[in-house]
Amino acid sequence: MRILVSNDDGYFSEGLAALVDALTPLGEVTVVAPDMERSGASNSLTLDRPLTMRRAPNGFYRINGTPTDCVHMAVTGLLKWQPDMVVSGVNHGANMGDDTLYSGTVAAATEGYLLGIPSLAISLAYGAEGGASERERSQSLYFSTAARVAADLVKRWQHRPFVGPSLINVNVPDRPYEALGGLKVTRLGRRHKAEPVIQATNPRGETVYWVGPAGPVADAGEGTDFHAVAAGWVSLTPLQVDLTHYPQMDALNSWVSS
Ligand code: MN
């Protein structure tokens, strides 16, 4: 089995190394990842400049582009073979609810899915809602737990492939593997709108702005990814890409024709 691995935290990240370690016994693993952190890159492609691919000393390929660039380039020409699976992660932080729209981790997997390859996005959800306080950032995280879950899912796939095109968003609680509650299939929850933009002054006295943190959880009810992870379960959400709001088509039709 040939597995293409990517992420959005960069080719040097701890979560990526843990994922590669866990997947290597299962097949031929090739890493094509961004050369810097591109969290929040969503499904963007770089169209205004050429991209370069370099090989890091550990054998990972790094590209000066987005997670989507990496998977797109790898599958559409850089690799001499078609991957059997794309695995993205392990992301440093949760990708639940609305996060999935902004996430580069999910985007790398989505690109695999759009190119017809079964794909998994794996994120390590730490903190109450996957947010990062200073304390949480400074403590060591259980990337190996999430990597082992990814390997479990790939193994399950090898024995019995899931039927149909698949894009699975996986969030793993930050705890020892033995302390996980098991696998739970979920729907995406929802967050409140994001926190306000943060204003600061740069060393030249100019006002600069930081995009604020994601909003707190708005829908974390039973059945959601937030709910499962908070209860210690591994959350698996099957995703699709069609954004059409089907129930609203009739209403829009009458609005434009009246
Ligand atoms: Mn990230």
Side-chain angles (χ1 to χ4, degrees), residues 80-251:
K80 303 283 175 273
W81 40 268
Q82 188 80 0
D84 298 301
M85 196 169 244
V86 172
V87 185
S88 174
V90 174
N91 188 57
H92 188 275
N95 278 307
M96 301 191 284
D98 320 9
D99 303 341
T100 51
L101 285 176
Y102 302 96
S103 167
T105 305
V106 175
T110 301
E111 191 61 16
Y113 166 79
L114 292 174
L115 294 167
I117 304 160
S119 300
L120 302 175
I122 316 279
S123 302
L124 185 67
Y126 55 86
E129 299 165 4
S133 69
E134 275 312 309
R135 188 186 59 76
E136 286 155 359
R137 276 194 192 283
S138 63
Q139 69 185 189
S140 61
L141 300 170
Y142 289 98
F143 283 113
S144 59
T145 298
R148 198 166 153 191
V149 168
D152 289 348
L153 292 170
V154 170
K155 262 186 258 176
R156 184 180 288 264
W157 192 283
Q158 288 174 327
H159 292 289
R160 195 161 57 91
F162 181 66
V163 183
S166 41
L167 172 58
I168 303 171
N169 186 41
V170 183
N171 281 275
V172 182
D174 182 38
R175 50 173 74 182
Y177 183 86
E178 293 70 25
L180 291 175
L183 306 178
K184 188 151 264 183
V185 175
T186 61
R187 65 180 173 86
L188 297 181
R190 266 231 168 142
R191 290 187 187 276
H192 287 285
K193 69 178 182 149
E195 303 286 321
V197 74
I198 294 159
Q199 198 170 316
T201 306
N202 78 5
R204 287 163 295 287
E206 297 162 313
T207 302
V208 294
Y209 303 90
W210 287 98
V211 171
V217 165
D219 173 13
E222 183 91 42
T224 64
D225 45 5
F226 291 109
H227 191 272
V229 166
W233 294 79
V234 174
S235 163
L236 285 87
T237 310
L239 301 182
Q240 60 181 349
V241 176
D242 185 351
L243 295 178
T244 311
H245 192 319
Y246 290 98
Q248 217 170 57
M249 287 178 74
D250 283 346

Side-chain angles (χ1 to χ4, degrees), residues 8-9 37-40 91-92 95 105:
D8 76 356
D9 294 334
E37 183 179 345
R38 300 303 301 266
S39 295
N91 188 57
H92 188 275
N95 278 307
T105 305

Side-chain angles (χ1 to χ4, degrees), residues 7 10-23 58 60 89-90 147:
N7 76 349
Y11 75 98
F12 44 77
S13 74
E14 192 182 346
L16 178 68
L19 182 60
V20 170
D21 284 349
L23 295 183
N58 64 358
F60 293 1
V90 174

